[in-house]
């Protein structure tokens, strides 16, 4: 509706034009991004300052302090799909270390709305308005001296058309923030569409939300690899009807060789939903003193998944490839939680963030995907089985177990599939 006013955090925005997008449900997404950016921008500045000082010392500049002052590290952010500008206003007001924001949208109505809102919220001095196609704008910023410290992609639906430009326009060590809302595609309702958009086949499975995160991560990694860049995930969240990921982007051809060892195909049994990973294989590292990162020879993939499920002997669906390396950095997650307790923030979704991040921190980071209790018991026609019982059986046998933040019924474990099925059958 025209000229409706909305308040979120310290921002008050007007929906000046009728067709400009605003989604109140994404407040959690915006709150979380504010926390992540507060923690990340501090690290980023410290890292860049240290690099600059080292450079100065190497060039034997007399006063490194003077050098650092002259070269004050900036933290620049591009919100490539800005709509009302709400997110940019909140970043300007609530992220301590941001120097400059560019808020872009292809819609003229959105641009007009943004301008009014930036004035009204008194952030015009640090937020620049841009009216362009997001990709065109990012391509203009792909030279290292023009790149952004962080790029936020928050499109309708699938973000993949923006990734080629985005992975080139983030600084080395910078942050890429990506939302995907096309959960039906990512969660297995149209595996062929998922393949054409993300380069991976999705599966209809109880662990589809984590699988969605891992499909998006492998997609970004693939785009980055084309330019000798690679990703380091800091936090990957499944919430409501969307997913949101935060990854660092680095440059390094040698690291791109490790990508295959971070990917796997997924075999899903059509009978019992048992999931088996088939790694794509990887390079054997052959460190020498001179070159500790040297790699030599492609490794075989290990045991190949058979045609039939080891548990129930039925056939497999094939999905993936998915990202199998960690999807969060636990230390970073703890620091985001600490940031949440800082008195500076007054976030509408504070409690929810605390709950989700606490679960994320406890997740088994080396175990991709999970079993789902309802699917396990459903398979052997049981009504229920107490989660506590399952978890203690796993722990008693010496395996590890955790939940996934993506599902209340989830069982993430290092225990082999046979062991899990034995517990269910003998209960
Ligand atoms: N980030 C906003 C927020 O948090 O409120 C919401 C963004 S909305 C989901 C997506 C926006 O992307 C729309 O305003 C649309 O006009 C814009 N858009 C779509 N395609 C675009 C493109 N190729 N380049 C730039 N903007 C685009």
């Amino acid at each position: 509706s025209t000229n409706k006013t909305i308040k979120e955090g310290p921002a008050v925005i007007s929906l000046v034009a009728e067709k400009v997008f605003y989604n109140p449900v994404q407040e959690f997404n915006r709150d979380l991004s504010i926390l992540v950016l507060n923690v990340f921008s501090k690290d980023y500045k410290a890292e860049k300052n240290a690099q600059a000082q080292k450079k100065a010392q190497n060039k034997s500049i007399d006063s490194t302090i003077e050098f650092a002052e002259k070269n004050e590290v900036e933290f620049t952010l591009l919100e490539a799909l800005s709509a009302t500008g709400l997110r940019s206003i909140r970043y300007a007001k609530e992220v301590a270390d941001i120097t400059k924001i560019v808020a872009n949208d292809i819609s003229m109505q959105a641009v007009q709305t943004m301008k009014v809102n930036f004035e009204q919220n008194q952030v015009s001095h640090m937020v620049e308005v841009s009216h362009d196609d997001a990709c065109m704008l990012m391509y203009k910023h792909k030279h290292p001296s023009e790149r952004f410290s962080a790029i936020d992609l928050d499109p309708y639906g699938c973000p993949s058309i923006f990734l080629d430009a985005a992975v080139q326009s983030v600084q080395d060590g910078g942050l890429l923030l990506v939302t995907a809302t096309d959960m039906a595609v990512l969660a297995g309702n149209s595996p062929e569409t998922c393949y054409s958009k993300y380069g991976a086949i999705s599966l209809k499975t109880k662990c589809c939300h984590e699988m969605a995160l891992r499909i998006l991560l492998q997609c970004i990694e693939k785009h980055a690899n084309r330019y000798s860049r690679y990703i380091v995930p800091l936090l990957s969240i499944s919430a409501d009807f969307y997913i949101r990921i935060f990854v660092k982007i680095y440059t390094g051809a040698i690291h791109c060789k490790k990508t295959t060892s971070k990917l796997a195909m997924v075999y899903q049994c059509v009978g019992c939903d048992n999931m088996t990973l088939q790694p794509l294989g990887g390079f054997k590292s052959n460190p020498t003193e001179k070159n500790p990162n040297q790699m030599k020879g492609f490794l075989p993939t290990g045991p190949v998944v058979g045609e039939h499920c080891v548990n129930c002997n039925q056939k497999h669906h094939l999905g993936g490839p998915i990202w199998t390396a960690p999807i969060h950095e636990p230390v970073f997650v703890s620091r985001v939680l600490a940031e949440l307790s800082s008195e500076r923030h007054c976030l509408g979704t504070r409690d929810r963030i605390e709950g989700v991040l606490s679960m994320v921190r406890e997740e088994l980071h080396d175990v991709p995907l999970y079993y789902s209790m309802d699917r396990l018991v459903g398979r052997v026609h049981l009504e229920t089985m107490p989660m506590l019982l399952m978890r203690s059986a796993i722990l008693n046998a010496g395996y590890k177990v955790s939940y996934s933040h993506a599902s209340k019924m989830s069982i993430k474990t290092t225990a082999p599939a046979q062991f899990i099925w034995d517990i269910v059958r003998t209960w």
Side-chain angles (χ1 to χ4, degrees), residues 143-209:
H143 188 274
S145 66
E146 300 286 326
R147 286 175 182 160
F148 295 98
S149 317
I151 296 183
D152 193 328
L153 297 177
D154 185 46
Y156 302 124
C158 172
S160 67
I161 56 168
F162 303 109
L163 292 177
D164 180 73
V167 296
Q168 296 181 70
S169 314
V170 175
Q171 282 289 354
D172 197 22
L175 188 70
L176 184 58
L177 309 85
V178 186
T179 310
T181 61
D182 53 342
M183 284 313 288
V185 169
L186 284 163
N189 279 345
S190 46
E192 55 293 285
T193 309
C194 191
Y195 186 78
S196 59
K197 294 202 166 175
Y198 292 93
I201 300 164
S202 55
L203 293 169
K204 237 185 210 158
T205 157
K206 287 285 178 182
C207 58
C208 61
H209 290 112

Side-chain angles (χ1 to χ4, degrees), residues 185-322:
V185 169
L186 284 163
N189 279 345
S190 46
E192 55 293 285
T193 309
C194 191
Y195 186 78
S196 59
K197 294 202 166 175
Y198 292 93
I201 300 164
S202 55
L203 293 169
K204 237 185 210 158
T205 157
K206 287 285 178 182
C207 58
C208 61
H209 290 112
E210 189 179 308
M211 185 143 168
L213 289 168
R214 292 179 180 278
I215 285 175
L216 177 58
L217 290 169
Q218 71 81 38
C219 183
I220 301 173
E221 173 79 349
K222 238 179 241 167
H223 281 92
N225 281 177
R226 288 174 193 150
Y227 306 100
S228 299
R229 312 194 90 186
Y230 62 98
I231 65 166
V232 177
L234 290 179
L235 179 62
S236 312
I237 296 291
S238 152
D240 309 320
F241 56 90
Y242 65 89
I243 54 174
R244 175 79 163 162
I245 58 106
F246 305 87
V247 296
K248 288 200 275 188
I249 305 254
Y250 284 102
T251 310
I254 192 82
H255 285 273
C256 295
K257 289 197 172 208
K258 295 178 190 164
T259 295
T260 50
S261 61
K262 299 174 197 166
L263 301 176
M265 300 306 290
V266 185
Y267 286 80
Q268 177 196 27
C269 172
V270 297
C272 68
D273 206 22
N274 196 37
M275 309 283 274
T276 315
L277 296 179
Q278 174 79 69
L280 296 196
F283 275 84
K284 178 161 58 173
S285 71
N286 187 10
T288 60
E289 222 167 86
K290 218 166 118 205
N291 187 354
N293 278 325
Q294 194 188 335
M295 321 252 263
K296 227 179 185 178
F298 199 68
L299 283 179
T301 61
V304 172
V305 179
E307 191 183 346
H308 298 280
C309 171
V310 287
N311 176 50
C312 72
N313 210 31
Q314 300 226 37
K315 291 216 170 187
H316 286 125
H317 279 307
L318 179 62
I322 64 164

